Amino acid sequence: MKLIGSYTSPYVRKISVMLLEKGIDFDFVNDSPWADDTQVPHFNPLGKVPALIADDGEIWFDSPVIAAYLDTLPGGTPLLPADPAAALRVRRLEALADGVTDAAVALVLEKRREADKQDEAWIVRQRGVLNRGLDALEQYAASHRDLNGETLNLADIAVACALGYINFRRVAPNWCVERPTLIALVERLFQRESFARTTPP
Ligand SMILES: N[C@@H](CCC(=O)N[C@@H](CS)C(=O)NCC(=O)O)C(=O)O
């Protein structure tokens, strides 16, 4: 199995963590989708990472689809509940965490533009998405239902990758103010070997 991605992508990290938690052997192919000589569009026509080349040669993208695919493979720790309705609830939280990540990435990209080209209204909108998303995740985490429960699941991983990225890019340095349950959740998860091994450089 080959995972095509970059070390700084939170979506790629989500899949790397999953593969490590499940004990699935994989080769990491480092390819930045922003590089002039990137090969990513050969694997994912959208030109985005992650893309996964399975052992049978089939190519999977994007990260929620790869995550669902990995959970269909035999062996390894399941990261989605067997019950379809419960699995959907976990995947809803994955979508929420990924949406927070999308807003964080949008803010990073916008801030890289020259100051006079940055769109203030767009920045305010993405900050709103980020803050509402984090507030909702704090509430879900505090309920210990579908997130921050006894057993690690895909929602936990997606949330920790979102917050890891926010920390790494310093997108919202005060995100932890009044979100104690999320802090406790990520501090616990960042101690796992799968997260330690995938810390962005
Ligand atoms: N929804 C996608 C998002 C993937 C994504 O946006 N990846 C970024 C890297 S962090 C990327 O490849 N960006 C290149 C581009 O947008 O052209 C997923 O979950 O896989």
Short mmCIF file of all heavy atoms in Angstrom, two decimals, residues 6 8-12 14 33-34 40 44 46-50 61-64 66 98 102 105 109 165, ligand 1:
data_model
loop_
_atom_site.label_atom_id
_atom_site.label_comp_id
_atom_site.label_asym_id
_atom_site.label_seq_id
_atom_site.Cartn_x
_atom_site.Cartn_y
_atom_site.Cartn_z
N SER A 6 1.94 14.81 1.78
CA SER A 6 3.03 15.64 2.29
C SER A 6 2.98 15.57 3.81
O SER A 6 1.92 15.33 4.40
CB SER A 6 2.88 17.09 1.81
OG SER A 6 1.67 17.61 2.31
N THR A 8 3.15 17.83 6.00
CA THR A 8 2.48 18.92 6.72
C THR A 8 0.95 18.88 6.56
O THR A 8 0.25 19.66 7.21
CB THR A 8 2.99 20.29 6.22
OG1 THR A 8 2.85 20.32 4.81
CG2 THR A 8 4.44 20.52 6.63
N SER A 9 0.44 18.02 5.70
CA SER A 9 -1.02 18.02 5.45
C SER A 9 -1.78 17.32 6.58
O SER A 9 -1.51 16.15 6.89
CB SER A 9 -1.33 17.31 4.13
OG SER A 9 -2.72 17.03 4.08
N PRO A 10 -2.74 18.02 7.19
CA PRO A 10 -3.52 17.39 8.27
C PRO A 10 -4.40 16.23 7.77
O PRO A 10 -4.68 15.30 8.53
CB PRO A 10 -4.38 18.54 8.80
CG PRO A 10 -4.42 19.56 7.70
CD PRO A 10 -3.16 19.40 6.91
N TYR A 11 -4.82 16.31 6.51
CA TYR A 11 -5.66 15.23 5.96
C TYR A 11 -4.80 13.98 5.75
O TYR A 11 -5.25 12.85 5.97
CB TYR A 11 -6.28 15.64 4.63
CG TYR A 11 -6.91 17.01 4.62
CD1 TYR A 11 -6.21 18.11 4.13
CD2 TYR A 11 -8.20 17.21 5.11
CE1 TYR A 11 -6.78 19.37 4.11
CE2 TYR A 11 -8.78 18.47 5.09
CZ TYR A 11 -8.05 19.55 4.60
OH TYR A 11 -8.61 20.81 4.58
N VAL A 12 -3.57 14.19 5.31
CA VAL A 12 -2.64 13.07 5.14
C VAL A 12 -2.30 12.48 6.51
O VAL A 12 -2.25 11.25 6.68
CB VAL A 12 -1.35 13.55 4.42
CG1 VAL A 12 -0.32 12.44 4.38
CG2 VAL A 12 -1.69 14.04 3.02
N LYS A 14 -4.15 12.35 9.09
CA LYS A 14 -5.29 11.54 9.55
C LYS A 14 -5.15 10.10 9.03
O LYS A 14 -5.35 9.13 9.77
CB LYS A 14 -6.59 12.19 9.03
CG LYS A 14 -7.86 11.51 9.46
CD LYS A 14 -9.09 12.32 9.05
CE LYS A 14 -9.37 12.22 7.58
NZ LYS A 14 -10.66 12.84 7.18
N PRO A 33 1.55 18.76 -3.40
CA PRO A 33 0.70 19.09 -4.56
C PRO A 33 0.98 20.48 -5.11
O PRO A 33 0.55 20.81 -6.21
CB PRO A 33 -0.72 19.01 -3.99
CG PRO A 33 -0.57 19.14 -2.52
CD PRO A 33 0.79 18.61 -2.16
N TRP A 34 1.73 21.29 -4.36
CA TRP A 34 2.03 22.66 -4.81
C TRP A 34 3.34 22.72 -5.60
O TRP A 34 3.65 23.75 -6.21
CB TRP A 34 2.14 23.62 -3.60
CG TRP A 34 0.89 23.63 -2.77
CD1 TRP A 34 0.70 23.04 -1.56
CD2 TRP A 34 -0.37 24.25 -3.09
NE1 TRP A 34 -0.58 23.24 -1.10
CE2 TRP A 34 -1.25 23.98 -2.02
CE3 TRP A 34 -0.84 25.00 -4.18
CZ2 TRP A 34 -2.57 24.44 -1.99
CZ3 TRP A 34 -2.15 25.45 -4.15
CH2 TRP A 34 -3.01 25.17 -3.08
N VAL A 40 0.97 14.28 -8.14
CA VAL A 40 -0.32 14.03 -7.48
C VAL A 40 -1.49 13.95 -8.47
O VAL A 40 -2.34 13.06 -8.34
CB VAL A 40 -0.56 15.08 -6.36
CG1 VAL A 40 -1.99 15.00 -5.83
CG2 VAL A 40 0.44 14.89 -5.23
N ASN A 44 -4.76 11.57 -8.24
CA ASN A 44 -6.03 12.20 -7.88
C ASN A 44 -6.23 13.38 -8.83
O ASN A 44 -5.49 14.36 -8.78
CB ASN A 44 -5.98 12.68 -6.41
CG ASN A 44 -7.22 13.45 -6.01
OD1 ASN A 44 -8.12 13.66 -6.82
ND2 ASN A 44 -7.27 13.88 -4.76
N LEU A 46 -8.05 15.72 -8.81
CA LEU A 46 -8.27 16.99 -8.12
C LEU A 46 -6.95 17.62 -7.68
O LEU A 46 -6.93 18.77 -7.23
CB LEU A 46 -9.18 16.78 -6.90
CG LEU A 46 -10.53 16.12 -7.22
CD1 LEU A 46 -11.30 15.85 -5.94
CD2 LEU A 46 -11.34 16.99 -8.16
N GLY A 47 -5.86 16.86 -7.81
CA GLY A 47 -4.54 17.41 -7.47
C GLY A 47 -4.32 17.59 -5.98
O GLY A 47 -3.51 18.42 -5.57
N LYS A 48 -5.06 16.83 -5.18
CA LYS A 48 -4.95 16.99 -3.73
C LYS A 48 -4.44 15.72 -3.06
O LYS A 48 -4.68 14.62 -3.57
CB LYS A 48 -6.32 17.36 -3.13
CG LYS A 48 -6.80 18.71 -3.62
CD LYS A 48 -8.09 19.09 -2.97
CE LYS A 48 -8.54 20.43 -3.54
NZ LYS A 48 -9.57 21.07 -2.80
N VAL A 49 -3.80 15.92 -1.93
CA VAL A 49 -3.39 14.78 -1.11
C VAL A 49 -4.27 14.76 0.14
O VAL A 49 -4.74 15.82 0.59
CB VAL A 49 -1.89 14.88 -0.73
CG1 VAL A 49 -1.03 14.62 -1.94
CG2 VAL A 49 -1.53 16.21 -0.07
N PRO A 50 -4.51 13.55 0.69
CA PRO A 50 -3.90 12.26 0.36
C PRO A 50 -4.56 11.54 -0.81
O PRO A 50 -5.74 11.76 -1.11
CB PRO A 50 -4.14 11.46 1.65
CG PRO A 50 -5.45 11.98 2.17
CD PRO A 50 -5.43 13.44 1.85
N PHE A 61 -9.23 8.27 -2.97
CA PHE A 61 -9.18 9.64 -2.44
C PHE A 61 -10.63 10.00 -2.20
O PHE A 61 -11.53 9.31 -2.73
CB PHE A 61 -8.52 10.62 -3.45
CG PHE A 61 -9.15 10.58 -4.81
CD1 PHE A 61 -10.30 11.32 -5.09
CD2 PHE A 61 -8.63 9.76 -5.82
CE1 PHE A 61 -10.91 11.27 -6.35
CE2 PHE A 61 -9.24 9.70 -7.07
CZ PHE A 61 -10.37 10.46 -7.33
N ASP A 62 -11.03 11.06 -1.40
CA ASP A 62 -10.16 11.86 -0.60
C ASP A 62 -10.09 11.25 0.80
O ASP A 62 -10.46 10.08 0.96
CB ASP A 62 -10.66 13.32 -0.58
CG ASP A 62 -12.13 13.43 -0.17
OD1 ASP A 62 -12.78 12.38 0.08
OD2 ASP A 62 -12.66 14.54 -0.07
N SER A 63 -9.67 12.02 1.81
CA SER A 63 -9.36 11.36 3.09
C SER A 63 -10.55 10.65 3.74
O SER A 63 -10.37 9.56 4.30
CB SER A 63 -8.66 12.32 4.05
OG SER A 63 -9.53 13.32 4.51
N PRO A 64 -11.79 11.18 3.69
CA PRO A 64 -12.89 10.42 4.31
C PRO A 64 -13.14 9.08 3.60
O PRO A 64 -13.49 8.08 4.24
CB PRO A 64 -14.10 11.35 4.18
CG PRO A 64 -13.52 12.72 4.02
CD PRO A 64 -12.25 12.52 3.27
N ILE A 66 -10.81 7.35 1.91
CA ILE A 66 -9.68 6.47 2.25
C ILE A 66 -9.91 5.89 3.65
O ILE A 66 -9.70 4.68 3.89
CB ILE A 66 -8.34 7.24 2.21
CG1 ILE A 66 -8.05 7.76 0.80
CG2 ILE A 66 -7.20 6.34 2.68
CD1 ILE A 66 -6.84 8.69 0.71
N ASP A 98 -12.93 17.89 9.75
CA ASP A 98 -12.33 18.21 8.45
C ASP A 98 -12.75 19.61 8.00
O ASP A 98 -11.98 20.33 7.36
CB ASP A 98 -12.77 17.20 7.38
CG ASP A 98 -12.03 15.87 7.52
OD1 ASP A 98 -11.17 15.73 8.41
OD2 ASP A 98 -12.34 14.95 6.73
N ASP A 102 -10.49 22.61 6.95
CA ASP A 102 -10.64 23.36 5.69
C ASP A 102 -10.56 24.87 5.96
O ASP A 102 -9.91 25.61 5.21
CB ASP A 102 -12.00 23.07 5.03
CG ASP A 102 -12.12 21.64 4.53
OD1 ASP A 102 -11.09 20.95 4.39
OD2 ASP A 102 -13.27 21.21 4.27
N VAL A 105 -6.97 25.82 6.81
CA VAL A 105 -6.13 25.84 5.59
C VAL A 105 -6.45 27.10 4.77
O VAL A 105 -5.55 27.79 4.28
CB VAL A 105 -6.36 24.56 4.75
CG1 VAL A 105 -5.70 24.69 3.38
CG2 VAL A 105 -5.82 23.33 5.48
N LEU A 109 -3.74 29.96 3.67
CA LEU A 109 -3.49 30.33 2.27
C LEU A 109 -3.77 31.82 2.03
O LEU A 109 -3.02 32.51 1.34
CB LEU A 109 -4.35 29.47 1.32
CG LEU A 109 -4.00 27.97 1.32
CD1 LEU A 109 -4.94 27.22 0.38
CD2 LEU A 109 -2.55 27.74 0.92
N TYR A 165 -2.90 20.77 13.34
CA TYR A 165 -2.60 21.70 12.24
C TYR A 165 -2.77 23.16 12.70
O TYR A 165 -1.95 24.03 12.37
CB TYR A 165 -3.53 21.40 11.06
CG TYR A 165 -3.27 22.30 9.87
CD1 TYR A 165 -2.18 22.08 9.04
CD2 TYR A 165 -4.09 23.39 9.61
CE1 TYR A 165 -1.93 22.92 7.95
CE2 TYR A 165 -3.85 24.23 8.53
CZ TYR A 165 -2.76 23.99 7.70
OH TYR A 165 -2.51 24.82 6.64
N1 LIG B 1 -11.18 17.04 1.34
C1 LIG B 1 -9.84 16.66 1.00
C2 LIG B 1 -8.90 17.84 1.23
C3 LIG B 1 -7.49 17.52 0.77
C4 LIG B 1 -6.65 18.79 0.63
O1 LIG B 1 -7.18 19.91 0.46
N2 LIG B 1 -5.34 18.61 0.70
C5 LIG B 1 -4.45 19.75 0.51
C6 LIG B 1 -3.17 19.54 1.31
S1 LIG B 1 -3.39 20.01 2.98
C7 LIG B 1 -4.05 19.79 -0.94
O2 LIG B 1 -3.71 18.78 -1.50
N3 LIG B 1 -4.11 20.98 -1.55
C8 LIG B 1 -3.71 21.18 -2.90
C9 LIG B 1 -4.70 21.99 -3.65
O3 LIG B 1 -5.72 22.43 -3.07
O4 LIG B 1 -4.49 22.21 -4.85
C10 LIG B 1 -9.43 15.45 1.84
O5 LIG B 1 -9.98 15.29 2.94
O6 LIG B 1 -8.60 14.64 1.38
#
